[in-house]
Amino acid sequence: MHQIGKKIDSEIFHVVGNVADTLGRECYIVGGYVRDLFLNRHSKDIDFVTVGSGIEVATSVAQQFGRKAYLNVFKNFGTAQVKFRGIELEFVGARRESYRRDSRKPIVEDGTLDDDLSRRDFTINAMALCVNQNRFGELVDKYDGVGDLERGLIRTPLDPDITFSDDPLRMMRAIRFATQLEFTIFDETFDAITRNAQRIEIISKERVMDELMKIMASRRPSIGWELLSKCGLLKLIFPQLAALKGVETVNGRGHKDNFYHTLEVLDNVAAKSDNVWLRWTALLHDIAKPVTKRWDEKIGWTFHNHNFIGAKMIPRIFREMKFPLNEKMKYVQKLVELHMRPIALVEDEVTDSAVRRLLFDAGDDIDDLMLLCNADITSKNPEKVRRVLENFAIVRRKLVEIEEKDRIRNFQPPVSGEEIMEIFGLSPSREVGLIKDSIKDAILEGIIPNERDAALEYMHKTAHSMGLSPIK
Ligand code: ATP
Ligand code: MG
C-alpha cells in the first residue's frame, strides 16, 4: 500500500470497496480529495470514479450504510450522491470527453480510468486511490501529481492549449489553485493561458465569480490578481481593475501604480481580516482613480473625488459581476466613499466634532474603516509612515473616548420627529426635518451632549428662532 493509503483506512472506504468488489467494479477515490490527503487539508466531499456505472455502486453503498444515508441519483448526468454522517460521497462512471469549440459542455462517453484521469484539469487533481480490497490504497498517478505537489506546480496532464480551449474555466481554476496553495503555474501551462485568454468569453459570469471568491478568501489574494493581470484575463473579466495598472509621467513626474498599490492594500487587509466584503472593499477602494486622474500644473497628479465617484461605480460593478445587490453592496459603497476620511482627519487637527461626524457616518463599520485606512498606508517613506501611524493612534484613542461619552456609533435621535410634531402641533413638513437635523448637528458639533434633556431644550430654542411655539 502507498503511504497515503493508510490515511483512508477507515470504515467508509472499506464499505465502498467491498460493495464495488461485490458488483465486480473497479472503484477509486479521485480528484480534490486525493490531492488534499497529500496536503493534509481536510475536505468533506469525496469523489469516486467507477469503471462502469457509478449509480449502481452508489445505490448499494447507500443500502449498506442503512437508514442514516441519503441517496440522490442524477440519471441525466450518470452520477449519484450518498450523504452520510455529514459527508458527501459522489459517484460517477469513468468517462471520456470530447469538446466542440463553442461550448464547455463536452460529448461524454464511457471510458477507462485513464481516459477519466487525463480529462482532468491539473496533474495534482488527476490522481486516483483504489478502494477495491485487493488493491486498497494503491495510488494511480500517471501524470506525476505527487511530484508536482512536492514541486508546488500547477500543470495540465495533456497539451495545455487543448485543456484550456476545451474548457476555459480551467484557466480561472489554475490561477485559483496557484493562489490557494501558493503554487507556481508551470511555464508552458501559463503561456497557454495567455494564448487562450479570449476563450473566457464562453464561461458564465457566475462561474468566474466563484473562482474570484475563492481567490479573495485565500491568505494572499494578490497572487491571483497579479496572475490574472499577467496572462491578460483581467482586462476581459474586470476591465475597471485592469485600468488601474500603469504609471503616467508628465514633466518627469509619475504617480504610483495604483494596481500594485491596491494589491498591497488588499493583502494588508487580508492579513488582518477574513471578512471577504472588507477584502473586496480594499480591492475596489481606488477603482475610480483612472477616471478621475488629472494633471495639475501646480499640484501634480490628482484623483479628485475618486472616493465618491468610486462609491457611485460600485452598483454597476456589482451588477456586472453578478454580485448580490444587497446590504453587502451598501457596505462596500459606504467604505469606499469614506476610505479617505480617517486619513484626512489626521492631516488637520483631530477635533472632537470631526471624530464625532466620522463615527456618525461609519456607524458600526468604524472598525472596518479604520482597518482599511491603516492598510492603505503603503508609502515607502518611513518618516511619513511613522507620522501617519502616530496620528492614527490619536484618532483611535479619540474614537474610543468620544464613543464612550457620546455613543454616536448607532446614533438614535434623542427626540423623535413624532414628538416634535406633537409638541408644536405640526404635520409632517420641512420644519420637522429642520428641527431634527439641528439637534443632530448640535450633538455632532459638541454644542450639546447626546442626552434627552439637553436635546429638548435645544429643540425649544431652535423652534423659537423659527417662530414656532409649543401648543400646550
Ligand atoms: P475544491 O473542491 O477545493 O474547489 P476540487 O479540485 O475538489 O477543489 P471540484 O470542483 O470539487 O474541485 O472538482 C473535483 C475534481 O474534478 C477536481 O479535482 C478535478 O479532478 C475535476 N475537475 C473539476 N472541474 C474540472 C474542470 N473544469 N476540468 C477538468 N477537471 C475538473
Ligand atoms: Mg472538491
Side-chain angles (χ1 to χ4, degrees):
M1 196 192 297
H2 190 279
Q3 203 53 17
I4 205 72
K6 299 205 177 94
K7 292 199 184 176
I8 56 163
D9 198 6
S10 63
E11 191 199 340
I12 286 190
F13 294 110
H14 285 291
V15 169
V16 175
N18 285 328
V19 165
D21 284 344
T22 310
L23 293 170
R25 294 269 152 77
E26 284 174 48
C27 184
Y28 302 85
I29 314 168
V30 287
Y33 192 86
V34 180
R35 175 200 68 219
D36 288 346
L37 281 180
F38 281 98
L39 294 172
N40 290 318
R41 298 203 313 173
H42 205 72
S43 49
K44 284 215 157 94
D45 303 344
I46 312 172
D47 293 319
F48 293 92
V49 161
T50 55
V51 180
S53 160
I55 295 178
E56 274 173 45
V57 178
T59 312
S60 265
V61 166
Q63 270 163 11
Q64 287 287 315
F65 286 152
R67 285 224 315 260
K68 291 233 169 76
Y70 298 89
L71 174 71
N72 265 313
V73 176
F74 306 95
K75 260 222 160 80
N76 293 347
F77 297 97
T79 67
Q81 190 187 56
V82 179
K83 286 193 192 170
F84 182 62
R85 293 189 192 145
I87 299 174
E88 284 184 19
L89 316 178
E90 199 63 58
F91 293 84
V92 60
R95 54 175 71 178
R96 192 167 55 194
E97 290 175 353
S98 42
Y99 287 83
R100 284 161 305 162
R101 198 163 159 81
D102 55 341
S103 161
R104 64 178 286 259
K105 291 209 180 60
I107 300 160
V108 179
E109 300 160 288
D110 290 345
T112 62
L113 177 69
D114 276 352
D115 288 333
D116 193 281
L117 295 179
S118 71
R119 77 180 174 85
R120 289 175 183 271
D121 48 6
F122 307 113
T123 57
I124 60 170
N125 289 341
M127 295 184 279
L129 267 178
C130 191
V131 291
N132 294 97
Q133 287 309 311
N134 60 347
R135 291 170 60 203
F136 193 87
E138 181 188 315
L139 180 72
V140 180
D141 182 18
K142 203 173 149 197
Y143 301 100
D144 195 20
V146 171
D148 282 346
L149 277 176
E150 276 160 11
R151 289 182 284 268
L153 273 185
I154 306 294
R155 176 191 354 211
T156 57
L158 303 180
D159 177 348
D161 280 302
I162 296 172
T163 300
F164 293 131
S165 172
D166 278 352
D167 177 2
L169 181 67
R170 294 168 182 161
M171 302 189 285
M172 294 298 302
R173 284 173 57 91
I175 291 174
R176 183 257 287 192
F177 284 120
T179 313
Q180 280 182 327
L181 305 175
E182 305 194 2
F183 276 23
T184 308
I185 301 178
F186 188 60
D187 278 349
E188 281 165 34
T189 301
F190 192 77
D191 293 345
I193 297 180
T194 310
R195 279 193 295 274
N196 289 278
Q198 279 292 345
R199 297 271 298 146
I200 200 71
E201 288 170 355
I202 68 164
I203 303 297
S204 77
K205 279 272 171 203
E206 286 84 352
R207 294 290 188 135
V208 171
M209 258 313 129
D210 283 348
E211 299 302 326
L212 292 181
M213 278 294 183
K214 289 180 180 172
I215 288 172
M216 285 303 252
S218 304
R219 197 179 69 99
R220 275 180 53 214
S222 68
I223 298 172
W225 293 107
E226 198 172 344
L227 289 170
L228 286 167
S229 167
K230 275 214 179 95
C231 70
L233 275 170
L234 189 67
K235 60 180 186 298
L236 300 168
I237 61 171
F238 198 168
Q240 297 94 330
L241 190 67
L244 286 176
K245 201 165 170 182
V247 177
E248 212 178 317
T249 310
V250 173
N251 303 338
R253 281 174 69 188
H255 55 79
K256 66 181 158 196
D257 184 313
N258 288 306
F259 182 66
Y260 288 103
H261 163 70
T262 292
L263 294 191
E264 218 178 317
V265 178
L266 173 61
D267 280 355
N268 286 347
V269 166
K272 295 247 162 72
S273 168
D274 289 336
N275 174 350
V276 280
W277 295 108
L278 184 56
R279 292 175 175 205
W280 277 104
T281 308
L283 189 76
L284 294 167
H285 79 285
D286 277 347
I287 200 69
K289 278 201 168 170
V291 295
T292 56
K293 181 163 86 174
R294 296 278 176 280
W295 170 258
D296 182 299
E297 284 303 329
K298 291 199 196 79
I299 328 168
W301 289 107
T302 68
F303 304 90
H304 197 59
N305 274 342
H306 74 272
N307 53 324
F308 292 107
I309 310 280
K312 286 218 175 78
M313 285 169 71
I314 302 295
R316 179 149 168 220
I317 291 174
F318 267 53
R319 222 174 304 122
E320 284 169 0
M321 294 279 183
K322 309 277 183 201
F323 272 170
L325 303 172
N326 56 13
E327 76 285 354
K328 303 295 180 210
M329 182 182 87
K330 294 233 169 69
Y331 164 90
V332 175
Q333 259 190 307
K334 174 163 116 181
L335 291 194
V336 169
E337 178 172 332
L338 294 177
H339 84 264
M340 325 257 288
R341 282 278 288 283
I343 208 84
L345 208 69
V346 304
E347 272 155 18
D348 298 330
E349 197 193 341
V350 187
T351 64
D352 284 12
S353 62
V355 172
R356 259 188 235 102
R357 287 208 175 267
L358 180 62
L359 261 172
F360 177 78
D361 290 335
D364 268 342
D365 300 319
I366 185 71
D367 297 330
D368 290 354
L369 177 64
M370 292 302 285
L371 200 158
L372 173 68
C373 210
N374 220 333
D376 198 8
I377 302 162
T378 62
S379 165
K380 297 277 175 290
N381 175 347
E383 177 50 31
K384 188 172 165 192
V385 172
R386 194 192 55 80
R387 198 172 27 131
V388 177
L389 289 180
E390 223 171 73
N391 285 342
F392 237 70
I394 301 176
V395 176
R396 280 179 198 284
R397 254 201 321 278
K398 281 233 166 184
L399 277 168
V400 174
E401 202 179 285
I402 285 178
E403 179 55 21
E404 262 172 25
K405 194 163 56 129
D406 297 336
R407 301 172 321 279
I408 301 293
R409 198 184 255 249
N410 286 310
F411 184 83
Q412 297 294 333
V415 183
S416 73
E418 284 77 32
E419 279 179 281
I420 296 171
M421 290 192 278
E422 207 176 289
I423 295 168
F424 298 101
L426 295 168
S427 44
S429 57
R430 209 170 74 90
E431 274 105 339
V432 183
L434 284 174
I435 297 173
K436 236 179 105 176
D437 278 351
S438 78
I439 299 172
K440 181 194 87 190
D441 286 335
I443 293 169
L444 295 180
E445 289 306 319
I447 298 167
I448 58 168
N450 185 12
E451 285 163 12
R452 187 170 158 81
D453 286 349
L456 280 173
E457 195 185 320
Y458 194 81
M459 170 195 75
H460 280 288
K461 235 169 57 195
T462 308
H464 184 76
S465 73
M466 290 165 68
L468 298 167
S469 41
I471 54 174
K472 282 184 227 147

mmCIF file of all heavy atoms in Angstrom, residues 31-33 35-36 43 45-47 173 176-177 214, ligand 2:
data_model
loop_
_atom_site.group_PDB
_atom_site.id
_atom_site.type_symbol
_atom_site.label_atom_id
_atom_site.label_comp_id
_atom_site.label_asym_id
_atom_site.label_seq_id
_atom_site.Cartn_x
_atom_site.Cartn_y
_atom_site.Cartn_z
ATOM 1 N N GLY A 31 -9.402 12.971 -7.687
ATOM 2 C CA GLY A 31 -9.503 14.436 -7.710
ATOM 3 C C GLY A 31 -9.090 15.115 -6.405
ATOM 4 O O GLY A 31 -8.152 14.691 -5.726
ATOM 5 N N GLY A 32 -9.857 16.154 -6.082
ATOM 6 C CA GLY A 32 -9.503 17.042 -4.978
ATOM 7 C C GLY A 32 -9.268 16.330 -3.648
ATOM 8 O O GLY A 32 -8.375 16.722 -2.887
ATOM 9 N N TYR A 33 -10.041 15.272 -3.398
ATOM 10 C CA TYR A 33 -9.893 14.587 -2.109
ATOM 11 C C TYR A 33 -8.508 13.950 -1.978
ATOM 12 O O TYR A 33 -7.878 14.024 -0.919
ATOM 13 C CB TYR A 33 -10.997 13.532 -1.930
ATOM 14 C CG TYR A 33 -11.063 13.009 -0.517
ATOM 15 C CD1 TYR A 33 -11.805 13.675 0.453
ATOM 16 C CD2 TYR A 33 -10.346 11.873 -0.137
ATOM 17 C CE1 TYR A 33 -11.848 13.216 1.758
ATOM 18 C CE2 TYR A 33 -10.387 11.403 1.175
ATOM 19 C CZ TYR A 33 -11.146 12.087 2.115
ATOM 20 O OH TYR A 33 -11.180 11.643 3.405
ATOM 21 N N ARG A 35 -5.766 14.824 -3.671
ATOM 22 C CA ARG A 35 -4.813 15.937 -3.552
ATOM 23 C C ARG A 35 -4.761 16.456 -2.115
ATOM 24 O O ARG A 35 -3.673 16.635 -1.538
ATOM 25 C CB ARG A 35 -5.258 17.058 -4.506
ATOM 26 C CG ARG A 35 -4.435 18.334 -4.420
ATOM 27 C CD ARG A 35 -5.218 19.511 -4.996
ATOM 28 N NE ARG A 35 -6.364 19.836 -4.150
ATOM 29 C CZ ARG A 35 -7.560 20.198 -4.595
ATOM 30 N NH1 ARG A 35 -7.809 20.292 -5.891
ATOM 31 N NH2 ARG A 35 -8.536 20.486 -3.742
ATOM 32 N N ASP A 36 -5.929 16.644 -1.522
ATOM 33 C CA ASP A 36 -5.973 17.219 -0.182
ATOM 34 C C ASP A 36 -5.442 16.264 0.891
ATOM 35 O O ASP A 36 -4.953 16.712 1.930
ATOM 36 C CB ASP A 36 -7.390 17.699 0.149
ATOM 37 C CG ASP A 36 -7.759 18.953 -0.636
ATOM 38 O OD1 ASP A 36 -6.834 19.576 -1.209
ATOM 39 O OD2 ASP A 36 -8.944 19.316 -0.692
ATOM 40 N N SER A 43 -11.148 17.656 3.382
ATOM 41 C CA SER A 43 -12.357 18.000 2.631
ATOM 42 C C SER A 43 -13.469 17.001 2.915
ATOM 43 O O SER A 43 -13.221 15.829 3.180
ATOM 44 C CB SER A 43 -12.062 18.107 1.133
ATOM 45 O OG SER A 43 -11.357 16.986 0.689
ATOM 46 N N ASP A 45 -16.116 16.543 0.779
ATOM 47 C CA ASP A 45 -16.644 15.955 -0.453
ATOM 48 C C ASP A 45 -15.660 14.918 -0.954
ATOM 49 O O ASP A 45 -14.479 15.211 -1.108
ATOM 50 C CB ASP A 45 -16.797 17.011 -1.555
ATOM 51 C CG ASP A 45 -17.688 18.153 -1.110
ATOM 52 O OD1 ASP A 45 -18.394 17.975 -0.106
ATOM 53 O OD2 ASP A 45 -17.649 19.210 -1.767
ATOM 54 N N ILE A 46 -16.186 13.708 -1.192
ATOM 55 C CA ILE A 46 -15.310 12.650 -1.705
ATOM 56 C C ILE A 46 -15.846 12.201 -3.060
ATOM 57 O O ILE A 46 -17.004 11.800 -3.169
ATOM 58 C CB ILE A 46 -15.269 11.456 -0.734
ATOM 59 C CG1 ILE A 46 -15.029 11.953 0.705
ATOM 60 C CG2 ILE A 46 -14.183 10.469 -1.160
ATOM 61 C CD1 ILE A 46 -15.159 10.862 1.753
ATOM 62 N N ASP A 47 -15.017 12.320 -4.091
ATOM 63 C CA ASP A 47 -15.426 11.881 -5.428
ATOM 64 C C ASP A 47 -14.886 10.493 -5.705
ATOM 65 O O ASP A 47 -13.691 10.229 -5.518
ATOM 66 C CB ASP A 47 -14.891 12.850 -6.490
ATOM 67 C CG ASP A 47 -15.546 14.222 -6.371
ATOM 68 O OD1 ASP A 47 -16.758 14.267 -6.132
ATOM 69 O OD2 ASP A 47 -14.836 15.242 -6.515
ATOM 70 N N ARG A 173 -9.405 28.270 -12.768
ATOM 71 C CA ARG A 173 -9.075 27.297 -11.729
ATOM 72 C C ARG A 173 -7.568 27.231 -11.499
ATOM 73 O O ARG A 173 -7.112 27.101 -10.364
ATOM 74 C CB ARG A 173 -9.646 25.915 -12.079
ATOM 75 C CG ARG A 173 -11.157 25.831 -11.853
ATOM 76 C CD ARG A 173 -11.753 24.515 -12.351
ATOM 77 N NE ARG A 173 -11.187 23.308 -11.782
ATOM 78 C CZ ARG A 173 -11.630 22.682 -10.690
ATOM 79 N NH1 ARG A 173 -12.654 23.155 -10.030
ATOM 80 N NH2 ARG A 173 -11.045 21.578 -10.258
ATOM 81 N N ARG A 176 -6.712 30.131 -9.449
ATOM 82 C CA ARG A 176 -7.267 29.958 -8.113
ATOM 83 C C ARG A 176 -6.432 28.973 -7.282
ATOM 84 O O ARG A 176 -6.103 29.244 -6.127
ATOM 85 C CB ARG A 176 -8.716 29.498 -8.219
ATOM 86 C CG ARG A 176 -9.405 29.358 -6.891
ATOM 87 C CD ARG A 176 -9.526 27.932 -6.446
ATOM 88 N NE ARG A 176 -10.519 27.207 -7.209
ATOM 89 C CZ ARG A 176 -10.974 26.021 -6.872
ATOM 90 N NH1 ARG A 176 -10.509 25.422 -5.790
ATOM 91 N NH2 ARG A 176 -11.846 25.400 -7.624
ATOM 92 N N PHE A 177 -6.052 27.843 -7.874
ATOM 93 C CA PHE A 177 -5.238 26.875 -7.124
ATOM 94 C C PHE A 177 -3.853 27.471 -6.814
ATOM 95 O O PHE A 177 -3.316 27.274 -5.722
ATOM 96 C CB PHE A 177 -5.082 25.556 -7.890
ATOM 97 C CG PHE A 177 -6.311 24.680 -7.846
ATOM 98 C CD1 PHE A 177 -6.975 24.312 -9.011
ATOM 99 C CD2 PHE A 177 -6.821 24.232 -6.627
ATOM 100 C CE1 PHE A 177 -8.116 23.505 -8.973
ATOM 101 C CE2 PHE A 177 -7.958 23.423 -6.573
ATOM 102 C CZ PHE A 177 -8.605 23.060 -7.756
ATOM 103 N N LYS A 214 -13.003 32.499 -4.327
ATOM 104 C CA LYS A 214 -12.025 31.612 -3.690
ATOM 105 C C LYS A 214 -10.643 32.263 -3.642
ATOM 106 O O LYS A 214 -9.896 32.092 -2.684
ATOM 107 C CB LYS A 214 -11.968 30.272 -4.418
ATOM 108 C CG LYS A 214 -13.223 29.454 -4.171
ATOM 109 C CD LYS A 214 -13.219 28.118 -4.880
ATOM 110 C CE LYS A 214 -14.535 27.395 -4.566
ATOM 111 N NZ LYS A 214 -14.716 26.171 -5.343
HETATM 112 MG MG MG B 2 -13.995 19.404 -4.342
#
